[in-house]
Amino acid sequence: KSESIFPLGEIGLLMRSVSEKIENLEKEWRYEFFDSDLQSLGTQSLKLHKKFNIRDSYTLDHINHSLFFNRRTGAYTLLSLDAKNNQRDLVKWELGRKHVVKDMKILGEYAFMHVQARRKAYVYVREWRGKQARFVPIQIKGIPQKRLKIAQLKLIEERKEVFVYIQARIKIKPAET
């Protein structure tokens, strides 16, 4: 098994593991909550097609969000586990094979994802408990979109803001003498 551990503050921690055994073309992802004394509080499991792999994980307060991706079909699954309320939310969608999520941040009810598609960068904003979603293209006047790249998504929780740092590849003309 492959395992990862996510701290959940005063609540304890979450351990994620994936079974190497594949049954009916599915892998089992197992999440176990532990309190601060390392006593098990319960387990949740999720079975996904064997082609799904973990793309990103993000923990905010007592909620862990795991993003799974099937490169062959372009399908995504976002699993959100609330350690405090033992609640599980599962959202599935498809972006297409050419769209790849590079980074993810969660703020309130929304997931902000850096998506790369055909040499163009976007911010994909999606309700992590619902179906509303939209692409926000990255544009700077005078610079073609294919020359722009998202360097980083940064979350400032206290101010409830998400910053997008952009890198632009520009051509500098030599100075005339």
Side-chain angles (χ1 to χ4, degrees):
K1 285 188 177 185
S2 171
E3 297 172 341
S4 299
I5 295 176
F6 304 95
L8 298 172
E10 296 174 4
I11 295 173
L13 61 92
L14 173 67
M15 184 173 70
R16 177 184 67 212
S17 60
V18 60
S19 174
E20 293 175 7
K21 188 177 176 183
I22 296 173
E23 292 181 14
N24 300 326
L25 299 176
E26 291 182 327
K27 284 193 276 190
E28 181 178 21
W29 296 83
R30 190 168 172 240
Y31 291 80
E32 188 167 4
F33 293 101
F34 293 91
D35 65 15
S36 55
D37 296 325
L38 297 180
Q39 299 299 312
S40 179
L41 298 173
T43 302
Q44 297 247 4
S45 65
L46 172 68
K47 289 187 178 185
L48 290 172
H49 190 275
K50 67 179 182 176
K51 296 283 186 183
F52 275 89
N53 289 307
I54 196 81
R55 183 71 191 147
D56 203 356
S57 281
Y58 190 77
T59 302
L60 184 61
D61 296 326
H62 50 86
I63 302 174
N64 175 268
H65 305 274
S66 296
L67 182 65
F68 298 91
F69 172 55
N70 183 332
R71 181 174 292 281
R72 199 186 66 177
T73 64
Y76 285 85
T77 297
L78 179 63
L79 172 66
S80 301
L81 295 171
D82 186 335
K84 204 180 250 183
N85 305 318
N86 200 19
Q87 184 178 346
R88 170 181 155 161
D89 290 298
L90 192 66
V91 180
K92 297 179 180 189
W93 72 91
E94 288 193 23
L95 288 178
R97 292 184 338 191
K98 305 260 186 217
H99 294 73
V100 177
V101 173
K102 299 285 189 179
D103 190 15
M104 173 180 72
K105 301 288 186 238
I106 305 288
L107 181 61
E109 295 295 314
Y110 292 92
F112 296 83
M113 297 172 227
H114 164 198
V115 174
Q116 195 71 32
R118 294 190 177 124
R119 295 178 42 202
K120 293 181 182 178
Y122 299 90
V123 174
Y124 183 62
V125 182
R126 175 171 202 91
E127 278 185 303
W128 61 267
R129 284 191 172 132
K131 296 195 184 285
Q132 279 190 334
R134 70 179 188 274
F135 279 100
V136 179
I138 302 301
Q139 298 174 328
I140 297 176
K141 187 176 181 178
I143 301 176
Q145 194 179 12
K146 67 182 179 183
R147 292 193 171 271
L148 299 174
K149 174 183 170 186
I150 296 175
Q152 181 183 16
L153 287 178
K154 182 139 176 106
L155 174 68
I156 300 180
E157 296 174 41
E158 303 82 40
R159 292 174 47 186
K160 299 197 180 315
E161 294 179 332
V162 176
F163 288 91
V164 180
Y165 292 92
I166 301 169
Q167 177 182 356
R169 294 184 318 272
I170 57 173
K171 294 180 183 177
I172 299 176
K173 296 178 184 176
E176 293 183 25
T177 55

